[in-house]
Structures are given as C-alpha cells and as structure tokens.
Amino acid sequence: MCGIVGYIGHRDVSKVVLDGLARLEYRGYDSAGMAVVGEKGVQIVREVGKVADLARQIGEFPLEGTIGLGHTRWATHGGVSVENAHPHRDQDGSVVLVHNGIAENYLEIRDELAKEGVSFYSDTDTEVIAQLLAKIYDGDPKKALVELYRRIEGAFALAVIFADDMEHLYCVRKGSPLIVAFGDGENICASDVPAVLPYTRSIAYLGEGEMACLSRNDVSFWDFEGNPVEKDAVEIDWDISMVDKGGYPHFMLKEINEQGAVLRRSMLDRIFHGEVDLSRELSWSSESAKRIKRLHLVACGTSYYAALVAERLIERFSDLDIRVDIASEYRYRDIPIGNDTLAVFVTQSGETLDTLAAERFAKEKGARCMAITNNGLSTVAREVDDVLSLKAGPEIGVAATKTFMGQMTVLYLMGLYLLKLREELSLGDEMRLVREMEVLPYKVESLIDRADEIKAIASRYCEARDFLFLGRGFSFPIAMEGALKLKEISYIHAEAYAAGEMKHGPIALLDRSVPVVVVMPDDNLFEKTLSNVQETKARNSPVIAIATEGRKSILGQAEDVMWVPKTDMELNPFLAVIPLQIFAYYVALAKGKEIDQPRNLAKSVTVE
C-alpha cells in the first residue's frame, strides 16, 4: 500500500523516480508526487491521479538535481487532494519526506506542535512527522531520526531529505517494508523490488527498527538506538522481463497465463520419484511432526481461501486439530496455542501487517511458526522458524492469480509431507496425488488455451449487478475466490456461499437478474450440488456451472458451462479456479475497468 522511491546518483533523478513509481503502481494509490534537491534547493511537484499525470506535469516544469524522493499515496489520514499528496515538508522547508504507514499518535503531536506556533497545510499524519522531525533536528540527521523513531507510534516507512545535507538520503523502517538497492555510483531505496530492477539486483531489506543513510558511493545502517548494523547484500533472481507485461494488455492476464509454469516451479526440487520431500528446506523429523497436535493456517484475502482448500486436504488424512483463521482476527482470539502448535502464515508479500502481527502473537505463545510466501527475504520469512517459497516470480496485478496457484501447491506439498512424517498418509495416497499434481500444469494450460469460450460467456453476463457463487467441500473456497476476483476488478456485487446454505437466506435474492455461478466438478458432493442447481433454476436465476468434461447431467440444467479437465477430487480446486479468474477478467474488460489497479485496493496491506 503506497509506494516509496528514493534515489541518489548520476542519472536523471526525475526519470529514475518516475520509472520506479510506475513499477510500484500495483500497490494502489490515488495521488503521486516527487521532490528533487539540486542547485535550486528543494523542488516539489504533486498531483492527484496517476503517475502519468505527475510525469506530464514534470515534463512541463522539469526538476533537476542529484537526490530525489517519489511517492504514490493511498489516502488514510485526509482526503484525496494535492495538499495531502506526498512529499511533505515542514513550515521552514528544512525537512522533506515521504511516508508509508500510519502515525497513530499524530493528533497528540499535532496539538503539541500547534501550541508551539507550527502551522499545518494538510490533514495528513505525514506532515506532522515532517514538522516534528524539523523541531527535533539540530544538524545531526542520525540523532534526529533515532529520536523521531522513539516519538512516533504505529507502523511506518520513511525516506527523508534534509535541506542542509545535499549529499545524503535517509530511510527509516518500523513495520512498513523498505529496501535499499546498491548500484555503481548510485543507491536507491524503495518499497519493493520491482522499482529497482532496471538498475541493480543487489539489495538489502531494512529490518524492524533499522535506518539507513545513502550517498552516491556508500550506504550505512544503524538500529533504533543509533548502533551500527552490518547488512549483507542479497542478489534478487528476478529478471526485468518478469515485471513487464510481455505483450499482454494487462498484468493480470499475463499472470493467469503463467500458472502452468508456477505449478512446475512450485513443485521443482520438492518431488522425487513420486514422493514429496521437503527435507532440503525443512528440518522436521518424524518425532517433531508427531509432537504437533494443532495446525493453524492463518492468512488474509485470497491467501485465506488457499488455506481453506489446504485444510480440506489435510483433514482427509489426519486427526490434527486444524484451524483456519483470518489474520486480523487470529490474534484477538482466546484459543489454545503452545509448543504443540504449528502455525502456518500464508502471505503473498510477506509484509501484510495483520499477518505479521498474528505471527508475532503465535510466536509469543510458543508456537512453531512457518511462512508460505512469494518473498523468501520478507519480514515474515526472517521472523519464522520455517519458510517455503512459492517460486511464483513477481505478481504485479493487484488481484492475485498465480500466487493463489502457488499457495495451493505449496500448502498441499507441506501438508502431504507433514502427514507422511506423522505416518498418517499411505504411500498409495501420496503417490496418487503427487502423480496427478505433476500433470496438472498441462491441464491448466489446456484450460487457458480455451479462454475465448469463457470470454464469450463473460460477455453475456457483464451487465449483471449481482452474482451468487456456490460450492461444496473443496469447491466452496474456490467459489469464495471466484466471487472475490469478480468484485475486485469489475466492482460487481458478488457473494459466495456453501451450496447447502442457499436455503438459509441467499435463495431470497434469486430471480432472473441474478446469475448463479456453481462450482461443481466431479466429486462426492456433485449430486447434492446438482440439487441446488435445480432449486436455483426453479427461481429463474441463470446458472453458470464449472463442471468436469463429460458430465452430461449438467446439460440442460445450466445456461452456460465452463468445462474443466478430469482430475482427482482433492485437486479439483487447481482447475476450477482458472475459468473463474478468466471470467472475472473478461467481465471487467467488457465494463472498461482498470484491471491491474482496481480502485481502493492495494497489493500489500501494510496498515491496519
């Protein structure tokens, strides 16, 4: 949520910062701005709207200098306006900064500064931080930032320029993610890796409570008490092509099409001779696995639905006490957690604040903590006992597609491996599931090749204002994910229910204006779901079915069918989700929506 780019070096500062902001647009924002320090002092340009709008303004009034800060803002404190856009400065212009996160005690500090005669020009907590920093600053940036860190409550990331220091750029991290990238005669700070890939792949992640000072040729780090910190650079294995559209009109469509490859990468070096082996990544033994009595799967949004799918697999073979919880609720629950608990935190970015807080809560209670994430260097990955990476590559579209596929894959592999160590999974079941998982990528790709069929169905329903999604068993979380995808990018109201719950309220909504999407591939609940389809038809709602190829009994019961290849019952979610993603994409496209950057949403939610 929000994006920061800071640059010091030999290149055209405006170009580097604008390019970095454009690569962070997926994070969600409603205004953008830039500050450049040069011979004319500090110059600031801000604009409501897109980075392209900011670029046009800078094209008319060029900014020249050696240090630059850029920001894309997603409004929290104060409305969407030029006055509230970042960067912000103090009333004397001695400090300019950009900020992600929330200063929770900003009203108290604002009142204190107002009594001292400070005037405010915006409604933001960010300006309060700038005014406070200027009050604290006595010529020693390091000392001032350490004191600022002590004074501000909440989670935040800051990039700061002091007007009397034209040779350095400063960074502070508390809660919100921030990286430093090392170049040749240049250094960069940013919210995420895509912003720096055109210039370097050598980076360091700022840890909790860490700060940095960047010059052209050096970077130094210290902690929140001012003590020096040694940090090693890591090489990111992402290629610049991974964060480009590659000829697709939208990142979302590109990422839908990458899901066969994601499945292969997620299984690579984790399956040998038809069996799951995670011993290269996890130091689990049969004895330690058998000591686990409780398994908690904790996540937000799409990641939560992936966890619900995995729960259904694991509970088929195990007597573990399994709980799936939303991260924002988990740490407020009064539930048993101890050293017999394996708490698994599923997060695409590894920086979701609610998930991080839940992980720290479980760790305090003595649980063994594990992260399943697309960023093996993220905050959650550095804090937990065990990490499994999705290997999905960067996902730029805000609506998750390929990372959902990666999450289901890795959760399944983790679950099968845990059950095997606990001696609850037979070799026959393991090899049956693994054998079919290895052919899933080809079935996924065959589905994607038929996207035009789904596009035609989407065109018939794009004017609907409400949708109901239904599913049972393994298909219920997929129905929820399908409804989420549709509402995220098309802004159409969509609800998902367990199909058996339809008679307990949702059936009142049904008429010919409300299409019902029923996820019903071949499984042991197909006949029961079919009875729900017939109840839906009796209320005149059009039915769109997700069904297994060859299942003729659905013909005549549904207005439209999106067919999926046959697979084992436990693996249906991997295939059933694909037509729902494609359907949501083409509905949004027909409605002319901004698919990669839907309104009010951010890729990584780093504030509560």
Side-chain angles (χ1 to χ4, degrees):
M1 189 174 292
C2 305
I4 287 174
V5 179
Y7 177 80
I8 180 167
H10 53 82
R11 302 179 195 265
D12 181 332
V13 173
S14 295
K15 183 177 183 302
V16 173
V17 173
L18 283 170
D19 179 61
L21 292 179
R23 294 178 184 278
L24 295 179
E25 284 190 298
Y26 65 89
R27 296 176 67 86
Y29 70 104
D30 43 50
S31 60
M34 184 190 304
V36 171
V37 178
E39 293 181 359
K40 298 179 181 179
V42 179
Q43 296 175 279
I44 298 177
V45 176
R46 302 180 294 183
E47 185 66 77
V48 169
K50 296 299 182 183
V51 171
D53 300 316
L54 177 66
R56 279 193 290 272
Q57 189 172 346
I58 290 173
E60 296 175 11
F61 305 98
L63 303 179
E64 297 180 0
T66 56
I67 308 177
L69 290 179
H71 189 267
T72 52
R73 176 181 187 253
W74 193 84
T76 53
H77 293 71
V80 180
S81 67
V82 171
E83 293 77 16
N84 289 333
H86 298 209
H88 285 277
R89 68 169 89 193
D90 71 294
Q91 63 182 4
D92 298 322
S94 60
V95 169
V96 60
L97 58 80
V98 293
H99 162 226
N100 286 355
I102 293 175
E104 294 175 354
N105 59 336
Y106 85 104
L107 287 174
E108 171 190 332
I109 295 170
R110 183 182 177 115
D111 290 343
E112 174 189 319
L113 294 173
K115 290 174 182 176
E116 296 178 17
V118 173
S119 298
F120 292 89
Y121 305 96
S122 76
D123 303 317
T124 67
D125 53 342
T126 304
E127 186 191 356
V128 173
I129 296 173
Q131 300 280 15
L132 176 61
L133 181 57
K135 280 285 186 181
I136 294 170
Y137 183 54
D138 63 0
D140 184 340
K142 179 177 176 180
K143 177 183 172 185
L145 292 172
V146 167
E147 175 63 15
L148 180 75
Y149 186 94
R150 187 184 67 80
R151 293 287 307 276
I152 299 296
E153 298 173 7
F156 53 84
L158 302 172
V160 184
I161 297 171
F162 295 90
D164 63 354
D165 182 356
M166 309 288 280
E167 302 297 328
H168 297 96
L169 169 66
Y170 296 88
C171 304
V172 181
R173 187 259 167 104
K174 181 183 180 183
S176 294
L178 206 58
I179 66 168
V180 172
F182 308 97
D184 184 8
E186 59 185 349
N187 289 298
I188 312 171
C189 69
S191 298
D192 205 356
V193 173
V196 307
L197 282 180
Y199 313 103
T200 180
R201 293 189 209 167
S202 180
I203 70 167
Y205 284 81
L206 284 187
E208 186 70 5
E210 290 183 346
M211 310 182 194
C213 172
L214 286 66
S215 66
R216 282 190 174 207
N217 299 305
D218 188 38
V219 180
S220 58
F221 301 91
W222 63 90
D223 65 19
F224 64 92
E225 293 180 336
N227 303 310
V229 173
E230 294 295 325
K231 297 190 77 68
D232 296 324
V234 295
E235 293 294 319
I236 297 296
D237 60 359
W238 293 356
D239 185 83
I240 187 65
S241 64
M242 290 182 173
V243 294
D244 289 331
K245 290 179 183 174
Y248 288 92
H250 298 95
F251 280 110
M252 183 179 178
L253 186 59
K254 178 192 178 195
E255 288 155 5
I256 288 171
N257 278 267
E258 290 174 345
Q259 289 179 105
V262 168
L263 265 166
R264 293 185 183 93
R265 286 200 301 270
S266 296
M267 292 186 286
L268 184 66
D269 296 329
R270 290 166 171 168
I271 291 175
F272 300 91
H273 308 296
E275 297 183 47
V276 180
D277 185 356
L278 302 180
S279 61
R280 293 162 180 79
E281 299 171 82
L282 303 177
S283 58
W284 296 355
S285 65
S286 181
E287 291 73 22
S288 64
K290 289 175 181 177
R291 285 196 294 270
I292 296 168
K293 303 301 180 187
R294 301 182 181 92
L295 175 62
H296 293 178
L297 305 176
V298 185
C300 301
T302 287
S303 302
Y304 172 67
Y305 301 145
L308 287 172
V309 174
E311 175 194 32
R312 284 156 170 76
L313 173 81
I314 297 168
E315 70 187 9
R316 283 182 62 78
F317 303 102
S318 177
D319 62 359
L320 279 166
D321 178 9
I322 307 175
R323 176 186 297 271
V324 182
D325 220 335
I326 297 169
S328 58
E329 292 289 320
Y330 180 73
R331 63 186 168 122
Y332 302 113
R333 303 284 298 276
D334 189 12
I335 55 177
I337 304 173
N339 57 15
D340 62 352
T341 305
L342 174 62
V344 181
F345 299 90
V346 189
T347 161
Q348 177 271 140
S349 67
E351 302 290 352
T352 302
L353 193 62
D354 286 321
T355 307
L356 282 169
E359 175 263 320
R360 290 161 185 163
F361 168 75
K363 199 164 194 175
E364 285 179 8
K365 296 282 189 178
R368 184 180 185 95
C369 293
M370 178 182 192
I372 292 179
T373 178
N374 202 33
N375 184 352
L377 300 171
S378 61
T379 301
V380 74
R382 296 196 301 271
E383 292 187 4
V384 296
D385 303 294
D386 304 294
V387 181
L388 287 175
S389 174
L390 305 185
K391 305 180 186 178
E395 186 175 65
I396 307 302
V398 168
T401 52
K402 68 176 183 176
T403 54
F404 180 70
M405 184 65 65
Q407 286 169 344
M408 286 196 298
T409 307
V410 175
L411 279 164
Y412 268 46
L413 295 176
M414 182 278 295
L416 293 175
Y417 187 61
L418 176 63
L419 295 174
K420 180 165 73 169
L421 291 178
R422 290 171 57 84
E423 299 180 351
E424 294 178 307
L425 180 70
S426 71
L427 180 60
D429 279 326
E430 178 185 8
M431 297 192 75
R432 170 180 64 85
L433 290 167
V434 168
R435 184 167 52 248
E436 183 61 15
M437 286 182 74
E438 288 183 301
V439 300
L440 277 179
Y442 303 100
K443 295 183 178 182
V444 165
E445 287 161 350
S446 73
L447 262 176
I448 292 169
D449 286 343
R450 288 159 32 203
D452 283 347
E453 299 171 18
I454 301 168
K455 180 180 180 181
I457 296 172
S459 69
R460 293 196 281 275
Y461 295 96
C462 63
E463 297 304 321
R465 297 182 60 183
D466 303 278
F467 276 80
L468 185 64
F469 285 68
L470 301 175
R472 288 178 182 262
F474 282 91
S475 295
F476 176 38
I478 299 305
M480 289 192 280
E481 173 62 7
L484 178 64
K485 283 294 150 288
L486 186 65
K487 72 181 76 170
E488 280 182 320
I489 62 172
S490 71
Y491 316 146
I492 294 172
H493 171 246
E495 292 190 62
Y497 281 86
E501 285 292 291
M502 185 177 68
K503 294 188 291 292
H504 298 275
I507 198 167
L509 299 172
L510 299 187
D511 60 33
R512 58 176 47 88
S513 69
V514 181
V516 179
V517 180
V518 186
V519 186
M520 49 187 307
D522 281 358
D523 60 18
N524 60 339
L525 297 172
F526 176 86
E527 297 299 335
K528 287 189 176 294
T529 308
L530 185 60
S531 70
N532 297 124
V533 170
Q534 292 161 347
E535 291 169 337
T536 300
K537 291 291 294 179
R539 275 76 185 175
N540 298 317
S541 281
V543 174
I544 306 167
I546 313 295
T548 301
E549 292 170 345
R551 175 59 81 162
K552 294 181 180 180
S553 56
I554 193 62
L555 297 174
Q557 303 294 326
E559 275 68 20
D560 290 282
V561 182
M562 295 186 261
W563 300 104
V564 297
K566 187 173 182 60
T567 188
D568 288 2
M569 178 183 71
E570 299 94 335
L571 302 178
N572 275 323
F574 292 85
L575 301 177
V577 75
I578 300 294
L580 295 178
Q581 294 170 345
I582 297 171
F583 180 77
Y585 173 81
Y586 281 114
V587 168
L589 186 67
K591 294 180 74 64
K593 301 303 182 185
E594 196 161 350
I595 291 171
D596 285 335
Q597 298 154 36
R599 68 188 183 198
N600 302 332
L601 295 179
K603 188 65 176 170
S604 177
V605 180
T606 56
V607 297
E608 285 192 273

